[in-house]
Amino acid sequence: MISNIFKLLLTGVGILISIPVLSSQTQTVPPVKISGQVKNLQKKSARVITPIECNPVKIKRHATNLDSLGRFSTEMNIPFGHDFTIYYDRKFYGAYAEPGDSLYIEIDATDLNSAPKFSGDRAEFNNQFSKAYKSLTGGFYKEFSDPTRSTDEFREDLYRKIDSDRKVIAAYSDSVGLRPDVRELIERCALFSVANTAMDNIGRMPYSDRLSIFTDSVFEIGNDENCKELMYLPHVSNYLSSLFHTTENADSLLTVFTETYPKSLTRDLFYSYLLEGADEPLTIDPALFSLAALAPAQEDDTNPQLTDMILNDYIYEFADGQSKATNFNNLAELLKERYAGKYVYLDLWATWCGPCLMAHKSLPEVAQFFKDDNVVFVSVAMKSDPSAWRKMLMAGFPSNSFHYIIPDDDSAEQIMSRLAAGGFPSFYLIAPDGSIVNNDPPRPGNPEIFDFLRTNVK
């Protein structure tokens, strides 16, 4: 999932930043229309396809059911042209769109390892980009440096990895005749995929060293072209986090951006992070960007719901060391019937997710602390291997902690889309009446969770 560390830092320290309103004009950004067909459906083929919108404010999944002929149609809102992914039957495909585009996509269910075929707007670009994305991106995410190496040694490893990826891209480009604009976007995909892979190593460095990495000239952090590649946004988030820890005060941050970067889409992105939670949408530059366009008010975004969601398969529970099917294929009904009158701290996670496993180390302590309160802790694993799930739960949990798994991948996509879950882990506090009290509560391991639950559990 895309992590906005800087927003969490601002929330945690309670900083309020004010800035003169340059314009309150709100832009109207036309949606991207995405339709298509999955051909040659098989009995075991997935029946849900999910375009994943990765805009700078949130990751939003648009899980869409296929009809009997494999056809689908949906829309997504993006503030400016950038790449996004399409998830189908455990495969990810790359695509690019700009506001107002209409894309038609064909996927062959018998050949999921091949890239989709595109028609409509930017068809030639997407047919080349999607094939390159499918062929090359797996290599971008490989680890390239030993965590024990110094900052300077790490930087040398970083340069070698970037240079190696560019040589691979050049060879591929020459062999298939990539358009220059497609090659440029793939190179940016590689650049910021490497930066994302490096986050664990960067996290152990002093903040001044982290800042030197994020501002290294190789990343061209002030270049608006980077915004076309959405892996750039974690880089921006970590740059802002490092800058926050090495700057005297919040007002100094605004001074840095104003004096260092010209008025641009990039600077507007920096401002949008700083202005999160402002009393009104603020537009720094109406010609490029507005917060209203970035985060359009939509009911399913602001008020995610569990209700009326019938899954394709049963939910399984962990009991007596085994996974056993419940008689529920509706998560809302399971929570309502099994935990009537209780608040539910809901945890959506996956067995392969590092941050999920870190949260689970602290979950027993939190659950035990609230064992006499009107709250239960329910963890639902998705997109996970059932045998790995069972092994992880053998150590036992407090009596007010319950564990389920949803093996069906289409069902997982439906839940994540309905609950606006960008990735794992995602947490929610659900009231006894089934309403969602908070769709981003503190996670286990964050000391704020204790005060949060004391305040919100009645």
Side-chain angles (χ1 to χ4, degrees):
M1 101 191 194
I2 296 180
S3 171
N4 195 329
I5 296 174
F6 193 63
K7 287 182 186 174
L8 296 177
L9 284 170
L10 291 181
T11 302
V13 297
I15 291 177
L16 297 177
I17 298 178
S18 61
I19 185 171
V21 179
L22 302 184
S23 171
S24 59
Q25 176 182 348
T26 299
Q27 297 184 53
T28 300
V29 180
V32 174
K33 297 179 180 179
I34 303 172
S35 59
Q37 184 177 18
V38 179
K39 295 187 172 182
N40 302 319
L41 284 173
Q42 308 295 299
K43 185 176 180 180
K44 293 185 177 180
S45 295
R47 291 303 194 272
V48 173
I49 189 167
T50 309
I52 304 175
E53 166 193 343
C54 306
N55 77 36
V57 171
K58 64 185 181 305
I59 297 177
K60 180 171 172 54
R61 307 175 83 92
H62 298 264
T64 306
N65 291 318
L66 305 179
D67 69 11
S68 59
L69 298 178
R71 298 173 299 192
F72 63 92
S73 180
T74 189
E75 292 184 351
M76 68 179 187
N77 293 283
I78 60 174
F80 48 79
H82 61 70
D83 65 337
F84 65 99
T85 54
I86 300 161
Y87 179 85
Y88 176 72
D89 212 349
R90 303 178 189 273
K91 301 289 185 181
F92 287 94
Y93 305 104
Y96 177 87
E98 297 185 7
D101 279 356
S102 179
L103 279 63
Y104 189 86
I105 304 165
E106 289 185 357
I107 294 174
D108 186 345
T110 64
D111 187 17
L112 295 176
N113 289 323
S114 294
K117 294 180 180 179
F118 289 83
S119 54
D121 294 318
R122 271 166 264 282
E124 181 185 353
F125 184 100
N126 271 315
N127 281 319
Q128 287 200 10
F129 176 70
S130 187
K131 288 180 181 178
Y133 185 94
K134 190 69 177 172
S135 298
L136 299 174
T137 53
F140 300 160
Y141 289 95
K142 292 181 179 178
E143 291 291 342
F144 61 85
S145 184
D146 186 329
T148 63
R149 287 169 68 78
S150 69
T151 299
D152 288 341
E153 290 172 328
F154 171 82
R155 194 189 306 274
E156 292 174 359
D157 293 342
L158 178 72
Y159 287 156
R160 277 193 290 269
K161 173 60 174 166
I162 292 171
D163 183 61
S164 173
D165 285 345
R166 285 176 174 168
K167 289 178 179 177
V168 170
I169 293 169
Y172 177 91
S173 177
D174 292 343
S175 68
V176 302
L178 276 187
R179 292 170 39 146
D181 52 355
V182 174
R183 176 172 173 171
E184 181 182 7
L185 182 55
I186 285 291
E187 287 177 345
R188 295 186 189 281
C189 289
L191 183 66
F192 292 106
S193 296
V194 170
N196 189 57
T197 304
M199 292 305 174
D200 286 344
N201 294 34
I202 295 172
R204 65 179 174 78
M205 299 177 184
Y207 282 108
S208 58
D209 286 358
R210 298 187 204 183
L211 188 59
S212 74
I213 295 294
F214 293 122
T215 56
D216 193 290
S217 60
V218 72
F219 292 116
E220 299 181 297
I221 195 168
N223 187 344
D224 280 356
E225 288 298 303
N226 289 333
C227 298
K228 293 180 179 178
E229 163 49 29
L230 265 294
M231 285 309 303
Y232 173 58
L233 274 304
H235 185 90
V236 168
S237 176
N238 280 274
Y239 158 63
L240 292 172
S241 172
S242 301
L243 186 62
F244 172 79
H245 282 93
T246 55
T247 305
E248 291 183 1
N249 55 61
D251 289 336
S252 298
L253 293 175
L254 297 176
T255 302
V256 169
F257 303 140
T258 303
E259 294 181 352
T260 306
Y261 303 101
K263 185 179 288 189
S264 62
L265 176 58
T266 296
R267 195 174 81 177
D268 286 343
L269 288 177
F270 297 159
Y271 282 147
S272 75
Y273 280 66
L274 292 175
L275 298 172
E276 176 75 3
D279 292 336
E280 61 178 308
L282 300 178
T283 301
I284 307 304
D285 186 344
L288 289 173
F289 167 86
S290 74
L291 288 179
L294 260 178
Q298 295 182 0
E299 182 178 351
D300 59 347
D301 286 346
T302 56
N303 188 26
Q305 296 291 325
L306 272 173
T307 56
D308 302 325
M309 186 164 38
I310 307 301
L311 305 178
N312 297 337
D313 196 5
Y314 289 115
I315 300 169
Y316 286 70
E317 63 183 322
F318 184 77
D320 301 324
Q322 300 294 324
S323 56
K324 299 179 180 179
T326 67
N327 60 346
F328 293 96
N329 63 349
N330 184 315
L331 184 57
E333 289 186 0
L334 183 152
L335 298 180
K336 183 178 179 180
E337 292 191 22
R338 290 199 166 182
Y339 311 110
K342 296 281 189 181
Y343 283 81
V344 175
Y345 182 86
L346 178 64
D347 163 26
L348 304 183
W349 71 293
T351 55
W352 42 263
C353 162
C356 301
L357 302 182
M358 289 298 294
H360 277 205
K361 289 182 179 179
S362 301
L363 180 60
E365 175 190 358
V366 178
Q368 184 66 27
F369 186 89
F370 289 99
K371 62 183 177 61
D372 297 323
D373 292 85
N374 192 35
V375 60
V376 294
F377 297 81
V378 176
S379 296
V380 180
M382 298 188 292
K383 299 180 180 291
S384 300
D385 176 58
S387 61
W389 174 71
R390 288 193 298 270
K391 289 179 182 178
M392 290 180 180
L393 301 180
M394 293 303 291
F397 283 81
S399 59
N400 59 342
S401 179
F402 305 91
H403 291 266
Y404 300 89
I405 189 171
I406 297 177
D408 180 68
D409 194 62
D410 282 353
S411 297
E413 285 297 313
Q414 290 173 313
I415 289 176
M416 293 181 72
S417 184
R418 183 67 64 89
L419 287 177
F424 300 123
S426 290
F427 297 93
Y428 307 83
L429 182 64
I430 301 171
D433 64 2
S435 63
I436 296 177
V437 177
N438 190 297
N439 63 358
D440 189 22
R443 64 180 60 181
N446 182 344
E448 293 180 6
I449 191 173
F450 295 97
D451 285 340
F452 172 83
L453 290 175
R454 286 193 199 100
T455 301
N456 289 280
V457 170
K458 312 299 181 184

